[in-house]
Amino acid sequence: MEQMINNQLSLHSDVATAAAVIQAQNLSLTFQTNDGPVHALKDVSLDIGKGEFVSFIGPSGCGKTTFLRCMADLEHPTGGSITVNGVSAAEARKARAYGYVFQAAGLYPWRTIGGNIRLPLEIMGYSKADQAERVARVLELVDLAGFEKKYPWQLSGGMQQRASIARALAFDADILLMDEPFGALDEIVRDHLNEQLLALWARTGKTIGFVTHSIPEAVYLSTKIVVMSPRPGRISDVIDSPLPRERPLEIRDTPEFIEIAHRVRDGLRAGHSYDD
Amino acid sequence: MEQMINNQLSLHSDVATAAAVIQAQNLSLTFQTNDGPVHALKDVSLDIGKGEFVSFIGPSGCGKTTFLRCMADLEHPTGGSITVNGVSAAEARKARAYGYVFQAAGLYPWRTIGGNIRLPLEIMGYSKADQAERVARVLELVDLAGFEKKYPWQLSGGMQQRASIARALAFDADILLMDEPFGALDEIVRDHLNEQLLALWARTGKTIGFVTHSIPEAVYLSTKIVVMSPRPGRISDVIDSPLPRERPLEIRDTPEFIEIAHRVRDGLRAGHSYDD
Amino acid sequence: MMRQPSVVMRIGLPLGFGLLVLILWELLVGAFNIPPAILPAPSEIWAAIERSTAILWVDWVQTVVKGALTGLVIGSLAGFGAALAIDRVDFLRRGLLPVANFVAALPIVGVAPIMVMWFGFDWQSKAAVVVVMVFFPILVNTLAGLAATDRMQRDLMRTYSASHAQTLSKLRLPAAMPFIFNGLKISATLALIGAIVAEYFGSPTKGMGFRISTEVGRLGIDMVWAEIAVSALTGTVLYGLVVLIERWVTFWHPSQRRGR
Amino acid sequence: ADDLTLQLKWVTQAQFGGYYVALEKGFYEEEDLNVTVKPGGPDIAPTQVIAGGGADVIVEWMPAALAAREKGLPLVNIAQPFKSSGMMLTCLKESGIEGPEDFPGNTLGVWFFGNEYPFLSWMSQLGIPTTGGADGVEVLKQGFNVDPLLQKQAACISTMTYNEFGQVLDAGIAEDDLVTFKYEDQGVATLEDGLYVLEDTLADEAMVDKLTRFVRASMKGWKYAEENPDEAAEIVLEYDETGAQTEAHQKRMMGEIAKLTAGSNGALDEADYQRTVDSLLSGGSDPVITAQPEGAWTHAITDKALN
Amino acid sequence: MRRFGPVLVVVLTIFALWYVSSFLMNRTWVMDQATRAGTDPGFSEVLRETMNQDRAKLPAPHQVAAELYDGVFNKKVTSKRSLVYHGFITFQATMAGFALGIIAGVALAVAIVLSRVADLTLMPWAIISQTIPVVALAPMIVVLANAAGADSLMVPKAIIAGYLSFFPVLVSMVAGLRSPGGMQLDLLRTYGASPAQVFWKLRLPASLPYFFASLKIAVAASLVGAIVGELPTGAIAGLGARMLIGSQFGNPMIMWSALFAAAILAALLIWIVSGVERLAVRVMGGGQA
Ligand SMILES: Nc1ncnc2c1ncn2[C@@H]1O[C@H](COP(=O)(O)OP(=O)(O)OP(=O)(O)O)[C@@H](O)[C@H]1O
Ligand SMILES: Nc1ncnc2c1ncn2[C@@H]1O[C@H](COP(=O)(O)OP(=O)(O)OP(=O)(O)O)[C@@H](O)[C@H]1O
Ligand SMILES: Cc1ncc(C[n+]2csc(CCO)c2C)c(N)n1
Ligand SMILES: [Mg+2]
Ligand SMILES: [Mg+2]
């Protein structure tokens, strides 16, 4: 099986390298803890092409977050290499290539929702007028118009999560990395935001890395689905989606959709010990 | 539409009152906040019969948690009444009728996993031998055998959540109230625990109140699905499931299942403002 | 959950308690015939306050305004600045912090005479003692505050590739405010005590510490208590002021908002 | 044995040599007394201690005792082992001060805590205001050491012949570089270390008897100390629990103290008393005491003790 | 070495600065003396003089070190000239006051947390108590303790030390006992737990980290209290008494050495308390960080 994956990966690389935005080669990351080393990532190789929408799915603790953090130079791999736009992840970060949505909202409590969204704009030196215009636009996008002056703790968890998404969308990062952005939301809101995200992606051509626990979500959104397995964290399957880029919600009832979902589920199940 | 629901509710009451364990009548709860009053629940009436498995589903902030907390006497309604086993919720609480699983794990960090599970047993005065036996049993049930001596922060989020479920199952409460217990878990683990929960329910005949954001989960588990809508929080639909009590995972592909899921989704969608 | 107590309760209860203590005190002093040289009755203390308002005012200006407040401002700024430096340069953190720890342990009773020797009799030496006393609480609390951001908050700044100054001004300083105010609360009371104690070791012929130490020798215990009352009142007001500013600055902190 | 507690005015030092000698040599024991000697210190006002019942007898300076008496604490002098005052003002010659007329415009160090009265009445007799300015003197509350003079923070400081003056010399300033004004020489001397009790103790026969024996033994101690100053200093050093005192310093102090106790048999000299009172009453607008004290001293004890 | 390197460098830098300051501050006196004696010393002579002055404005580090060494190692520990002896006396009062402070702080905190009325009445007065200068109260505490029949000097010293150390304990314990969040409390409510059970099984264990964190501050405060208390109790023995007597009798080196001995004692106490804290945290299963 490992053989197969490697084959597939290398095959895949050949196709995608031309426009590869993110290239991971034999990436490993080991945390040293009191209980001994934890191999969060081991020999992970993956190419992400420009404009791709890549989902990461896998059991809790398999290293999805860690992988995303490596891409954004928030974690330093203990082995292998990762390049972004042909330079190191650190250089890409300094060039402000990333918009990152964390697993938890992580808004600053002393800033209003508007202030939080304005934060990256201030840091990157956008003009005041531009700031105001952008804040208004992304608030609209995540259905939070009218909440600009509220403080984070005055909003429900789901609203906070949406604000943090807006924050990442406010500036023009080429690469959007989202770590379970819709975890705290109910199915309806989730569907709605999924559609919005697809539309935004189609419009801007951003490259997106997206972590989720939901199989339908992964299949619905992605051009490429990366299934990961734990202990040590590695890639167990990479699925290139044959679905068209234009995706109405109903696409979820098509046989192709269901077939991909099945393949993802099988890959996922292999990572668990349950024998059913 | 409201008319219809009321009709349905009153009709339903007639059927269930015979063995009703929880009876809510015109329950209202208003929070006084700095920004003015928040109507978390308004005129909510519901009967839950003995041995029923009732799921609550609805958009974020619609009052699911608040309703569950009212049942357990953790919140005091500002209007209407609620009785449990024919007595007030407070008396039922003092009679230790409830096992409650909170939305977050809420383990005590200074106690080991075993110690956390032992906590209710100590408070309720179980014998030492009985305590040990029960802890071992429920740890087995949630696949955490071997983790008894670990501290909560040594476990991943999903494992902590399972420990908190074990804690609620360790003692013999008639009524189990669970607030999004499987929120932090991936689909595979979730399926597994769903099965375990159904088995436990079948074995013990407990009455279960269960909050979830997942439509398939609600349909798969429940004998009754309560759909709620926000501002003010009220019940917009009550669906009695025609599915048999014996439920293999494959039941999720049957037409009945899909039909109920559709009805739940429609009810849910009505609670949102999206016009698609 | 708990209802917020009304302002009447919040002020009335402690005031009532204080009054009760005063009345009991008055009665006990009368009943047991305690000589005023040991413990004057509250009425006598009040008489002393009325009689000596001019002196009390002069003392207050000397000790509080010139000594304590100057020292508090300088010491707080110095502690804050040192914390920023230590935070910026890891070398200093590992080197200076243990040494600062040691300096903080120098007892004021020993420091005060040295400061009087170095800085003279007037308020400058008192301010110097206060600087030494408040420097450390501010330093430690600021450092703790600067470290109080969580990883995700810092990582966010990293993804923006924010500069050290930007991270400081937009994330770490706001996050540090609750800690800094804790340090300020401690410092506000320490400053008064420091300025007063320092006057024991040499002073001009005015100041609260001067008055207290002199009047004990003259058996003017009522005057001693008058100064104690002024000191307590000043300290409480200073503390309250810090709390008010804290409320205003750290409105967002969970401890400042009940419910949500 | 009868218990008796003596509160000293300051820390253990040769200034109180007589009492320590009496204790060490068993003079108190011979009088069937069990005496506890409590050293003083900054922040300890003997008058307050006796008011609080912490002592039966205190060593205090007369100005402070009389001031306390006016404040309502009825102290009575029962014996006066110190005949003369050891207090003086010591100035640096380089400050240009040659006589009291040069004081105005200068900064002077003064002990407070009840020790300021002699200075204040002296200044008021000279007509020099103590509130600063060109015609007044700037007064500093002097701490516990002679640093203000060494650091030139003050032109003059208060010294005792037996203690601080020696320290100034030890610090390396030659006597030639100093100008000193003894209160005795200036005619403003007030009585120093006397023994005081509360008035009502004297109404109690048993107490009077105890005090008589105490004064007798104490004076025996003082005589012994005068005759054997070095041994007395050694004894004092024995009792100094801080271990911070030096032999040389205590021996010199004992020698100087002997000069002050010389001429007193323990009984208060009425003329000295009257001079002190007059000095204190003459304080101009702010006298230390406002009226002639009544019954502030008694010979009742010394009469019995010394005959 | 990696750990101690920076400390070493900083300490050496401080020593260097210290020497320079010693020279500058003590020079005045040397020059004054020279003027009085009518001599004109050269630089090297002035330097030598400033480094070995008996009554230095700022004694040089080696002087303080020598005096400390002498006081600690060259004297029998039972000798009243030994810094160990005096340190021990201060230490005893510190510990007694520390214990008193802990008891008072915890007891008050429990009352404040359990009773709303106690909270509103006592807390402001606890704060006010800390704005009263202890030195002003000290003599009265001594006199009153005396009048109440306490014949040991330890009692007033311990009271003063306790007065200073109870406050940090109180503040932290109140925060700690209140730290359990809504959900942690709700959990016990669903079990129908009694108030006593809530206290023992939730509030108390939750408060322990806060408690131990406060001990470091409290023990330092207690030491300061003990030293302050040594002045009005007759300045008989202890580091505080030595500081005072050293200063009063023209022997500032004794004061400097006592001062540093006190700081070392404080550092030692804080170090021990931190050790206890770490141990307790480990036993309590903490140490998430
Ligand atoms: N800072 C850290 N120190 C030690 N171990 C860590 C650290 N961060 C992550 N790990 C471990 O590395 C492994 C991978 O963690 P990671 O957060 O990447 O998982 P994940 O796939 O994102 O899981 P989830 O779905 O729960 O978010 C886990 O076993 C985790 O315990
Ligand atoms: N203690 C409180 N004070 C004020 N408002 C509250 C409080 N608790 C809940 N609310 C409000 O009451 C409403 C219902 O909240 P509740 O927690 O019951 O929602 P929920 O259905 O459980 O949502 P979720 O799916 O996000 O858990 C929300 O609008 C919430 O903001
Ligand atoms: C506040 C205060 N300052 C100075 C002294 C000094 N003092 C008191 S008696 C005496 C005689 C010589 O020892 C001296 C110098 C004091 N007691 N209290
Ligand atoms: Mg993750
Ligand atoms: Mg909820």
Side-chain angles (χ1 to χ4, degrees), chain C residues 121-153:
Chain C
F121 279 85
D122 215 341
W123 59 268
Q124 290 89 343
S125 58
K126 318 302 174 282
V129 171
V130 174
V131 168
V132 173
M133 279 185 87
V134 306
F135 177 80
F136 194 70
I138 298 282
L139 171 75
V140 168
N141 277 286
T142 308
L143 278 179
L146 289 175
T149 53
D150 59 47
R151 193 162 77 132
M152 198 203 310
Q153 291 178 322

Side-chain angles (χ1 to χ4, degrees), chain A residues 69 73 93 96 108 122, chain C residues 153 155 158 160 166 170:
Chain A
R69 291 174 60 83
D73 186 40
R93 179 172 66 75
R96 290 162 174 168
Y108 291 178
E122 288 171 9
Chain C
Q153 291 178 322
D155 283 347
R158 267 175 72 88
Y160 299 153
Q166 284 175 324
K170 293 189 190 296

Side-chain angles (χ1 to χ4, degrees), chain A residues 64-66 103 179-180 211:
Chain A
K64 304 181 294 293
T65 297
T66 307
Q103 208 162 345
D179 196 351
E180 294 192 49
V211 174

Side-chain angles (χ1 to χ4, degrees), chain D:
Chain D
D2 295 316
D3 290 331
L4 195 109
T5 304
L6 172 70
Q7 174 68 57
L8 302 181
K9 181 173 172 53
W10 191 241
V11 298
T12 302
Q13 58 178 348
Q15 180 188 1
F16 312 106
Y19 311 108
Y20 283 111
V21 167
L23 195 61
E24 177 69 17
K25 289 281 165 194
F27 300 161
Y28 290 134
E29 237 167 83
E30 286 167 19
E31 297 283 356
D32 194 30
L33 286 173
N34 176 23
V35 174
T36 308
V37 177
K38 285 182 166 182
D43 239 13
I44 295 186
T47 48
Q48 194 189 24
V49 174
I50 201 172
D56 302 304
V57 189
I58 60 172
V59 176
E60 187 50 283
W61 290 2
M62 186 167 277
L66 293 181
R69 198 177 163 82
E70 267 211 359
K71 280 250 154 72
L73 187 71
L75 289 176
V76 179
N77 181 302
I78 54 164
Q80 184 62 39
F82 276 46
K83 172 75 180 165
S84 1
S85 156
M87 186 120 94
M88 49 191 194
L89 208 58
T90 300
C91 311
L92 278 179
K93 199 167 252 170
E94 59 200 80
S95 69
I97 293 177
E98 282 165 10
E101 63 282 358
D102 297 325
F103 287 156
N106 278 298
T107 301
L108 310 182
V110 177
W111 291 310
F112 278 77
F113 206 70
N115 306 318
E116 68 274 32
Y117 299 123
F119 173 83
L120 294 179
S121 55
W122 182 24
M123 287 300 126
S124 80
Q125 281 174 38
L126 290 173
I128 301 176
T130 53
T131 46
D135 358 305
V137 289
E138 185 79 45
V139 176
L140 287 184
K141 182 192 131 168
Q142 188 175 322
F144 310 116
N145 55 41
V146 299
D147 283 340
L149 194 76
L150 306 183
Q151 310 294 346
K152 299 206 273 190
Q153 291 166 335
C156 313
I157 59 167
S158 300
T159 56
M160 303 304 289
T161 51
Y162 48 83
N163 188 357
E164 289 81 4
F165 186 66
Q167 286 183 42
V168 176
L169 299 181
D170 285 350
I173 300 186
E175 236 178 302
D176 293 344
D177 292 322
L178 296 169
V179 183
T180 55
F181 304 94
K182 288 193 177 180
Y183 281 54
E184 286 284 357
D185 301 342
Q186 301 296 321
V188 288
T190 50
L191 282 171
E192 288 167 9
D193 304 26
L195 295 176
Y196 293 82
V197 297
L198 288 176
E199 215 163 83
D200 51 9
T201 14
L202 294 171
D204 178 350
E205 269 312 310
M207 268 312 285
V208 170
D209 178 52
K210 227 159 75 169
L211 290 172
T212 306
R213 285 179 279 143
F214 170 73
V215 169
R216 190 183 301 134
S218 297
M219 286 320 294
K220 195 168 163 192
W222 274 117
K223 286 300 150 216
Y224 188 95
E226 272 171 42
E227 283 153 20
N228 310 282
D230 284 1
E231 189 189 344
E234 298 280 0
I235 289 172
V236 169
L237 230 43
E238 262 323 283
Y239 279 91
D240 163 42
E241 283 190 50
T242 63
Q245 311 262 28
T246 60
E247 195 176 316
H249 191 70
Q250 290 306 313
K251 283 189 171 158
R252 180 173 58 199
M253 186 184 292
M254 198 60 238
E256 292 293 331
I257 289 289
K259 296 180 192 163
L260 303 184
T261 52
S264 168
N265 63 355
L268 176 71
D269 180 335
E270 219 179 316
D272 291 345
Y273 166 78
Q274 203 50 52
R275 181 171 38 99
T276 301
V277 169
D278 291 344
S279 173
L280 296 178
L281 273 173
S282 68
S285 61
D286 188 20
V288 176
I289 51 176
T290 54
Q292 279 285 342
E294 293 289 336
W297 60 278
T298 175
H299 276 165
I301 307 289
T302 39
D303 283 349
K304 278 190 227 158
L306 306 175
N307 296 318

